[in-house]
Amino acid sequence: NEGVAVVPDVASLPGVVQIIRVSKPYRLAALESTGGKPSVIPVGEALVGSNNSWFVAGPCSVDDPARLIDIAHTVKALGAQALRGGAFKPRSNPYAFQGHGVEGLEMLARAREATGLPIVTEAMDIEQVDAVEEYADVIQIGARNMQNYQLLKRVGRSKRTVLLKRGLSATLDELLNAVEYVLAEGNCHVILCERGIRTFANHARFTLDVAAIPVLKALTHLPIIVDPSHPAGVRPLVLPLAQAGLAAGADGLIVEVHPEPEHALSDADQALRYPDIAQLADRGRRIAEAIGRTFGRPPAT
């Protein structure tokens, strides 16, 4: 009929090899978009999303240059594949330590130079992204910024890998729609992070949603790691939550470490001491082996 648009048979068009139908609103993040194949994201020598579970460790906040390098050497010897550390810190209390900023980024760069470990650090707003890009290997978007869409678009145009943490009260659909903003701008190197959500429970700082790990594995091709430090809130809970995350199939852990938590400038109660992180690394390898994976790098001998 006249005036009726003719829809072409897309499958018959030149150059079309396969048609993949994606019914979810997060088209690029959906598992169907890769034909059911998980994505593997290179970060330094690590392949996040592979059979090797990624091991990231370091202080919540970068404080002292010498201490940071000592932490980096220590966690690398235990098998860590990347160093985390906050130079810009989002804090609930406006009078709490907000981070050393660019000076903190420079400290992280010196630690990378000394150890070879890639750097994972947070950008809190668009104005900070340029500086973080210059120094970091992985740009972390924290839970409070999961739905900061302009920031997501900006890191979506970055050539750095993005680590996106789930928001404090976000559903999994909201998390995947948030990551779609990054993917839609062209950056396909994205890692998701479950870090606990706020529930009615008060026995821990947050509730680690262990079920989210296998559910996300069925929904998206992107790797999913676990942050056991923030939902724990206190040191004794970090190891059990880390074990639960790995046993549930997480593609890695990002853990807070400090040799003297009593002197840490933020989140002192949940920071693992060196003997604690050594125990976590050992347990991580054992759990990974039990489920047919590896964890971190082989420990230094």
Side-chain angles (χ1 to χ4, degrees):
N1 297 330
E2 291 186 11
V4 177
V6 177
V7 179
D9 180 5
V10 177
S12 65
L13 294 176
V16 176
V17 177
Q18 181 184 12
I19 295 177
I20 300 173
R21 300 187 185 280
V22 180
S23 58
K24 300 180 178 68
Y26 41 89
R27 294 172 176 82
L28 299 174
L31 185 60
E32 295 92 331
S33 69
T34 60
K37 182 180 179 181
S39 290
V40 176
I41 312 297
V43 180
E45 297 178 355
L47 295 173
V48 187
S50 68
N51 205 42
N52 175 248
S53 295
W54 196 37
F55 182 19
V56 185
C60 175
S61 297
V62 173
D63 49 22
D64 175 77
R67 182 182 290 131
L68 179 64
I69 290 177
D70 181 66
I71 293 171
H73 279 298
T74 300
V75 299
K76 181 178 180 179
L78 293 172
Q81 296 158 302
L83 176 68
R84 62 144 296 145
F88 300 101
K89 295 300 300 179
R91 306 302 300 277
S92 300
N93 184 337
Y95 305 112
F97 176 65
Q98 306 288 315
H100 285 302
V102 173
E103 182 183 353
L105 293 175
E106 292 170 347
M107 294 182 204
L108 287 165
R110 289 195 290 273
R112 177 178 53 206
E113 183 178 354
T115 63
L117 290 176
I119 299 303
V120 180
T121 193
E122 183 170 355
M124 298 195 306
D125 56 48
I126 294 175
E127 287 73 20
Q128 294 172 357
V129 174
D130 286 346
V132 173
E133 276 181 324
E134 182 179 349
Y135 292 94
D137 300 277
V138 178
I139 303 173
Q140 176 180 305
I141 303 299
R144 294 172 179 84
N145 272 317
M146 189 204 80
Q147 290 179 309
N148 183 339
Y149 299 123
Q150 295 306 313
L151 179 59
L152 295 178
K153 289 179 180 180
R154 171 62 184 85
V155 296
R157 296 189 293 273
S158 174
K159 296 188 182 302
R160 301 297 187 198
T161 296
V162 174
L163 174 64
L164 178 62
K165 288 193 168 186
R166 182 182 180 186
L168 279 65
S169 302
T171 66
L172 297 186
D173 278 351
E174 287 169 340
L175 171 62
L176 292 172
N177 277 309
V179 78
E180 192 77 6
Y181 274 89
V182 181
L183 299 173
E185 293 294 327
N187 190 345
C188 60
H189 285 189
V190 186
I191 301 163
L192 302 177
C193 182
E194 165 59 39
R195 47 81 69 207
I197 53 174
R198 182 158 288 164
T199 68
F200 60 82
N202 60 3
H203 54 273
R205 188 178 181 188
F206 296 102
T207 299
L208 182 66
D209 187 1
V210 178
I213 300 162
V215 172
L216 284 168
K217 290 280 187 179
L219 293 175
T220 181
H221 56 91
L222 298 172
I224 171 75
I225 69 169
V226 163
D227 170 357
S229 301
H230 282 88
V234 292
R235 201 167 298 111
L237 291 181
V238 176
L239 178 57
L241 295 183
Q243 294 175 161
L246 289 175
D251 293 305
L253 298 176
I254 180 167
V255 189
E256 293 185 357
V257 182
H258 200 285
E260 300 175 298
E262 60 274 14
H263 298 306
L265 297 178
S266 60
D267 285 349
D269 292 342
Q270 66 199 35
L272 297 185
R273 295 185 173 92
Y274 286 170
D276 303 322
I277 193 65
Q279 184 182 25
L280 184 148
D282 179 64
R283 294 280 183 86
R285 285 189 288 272
R286 294 187 187 191
I287 291 172
E289 183 179 1
I291 60 174
R293 303 185 78 167
T294 58
F295 177 69
R297 301 173 55 180
T301 56

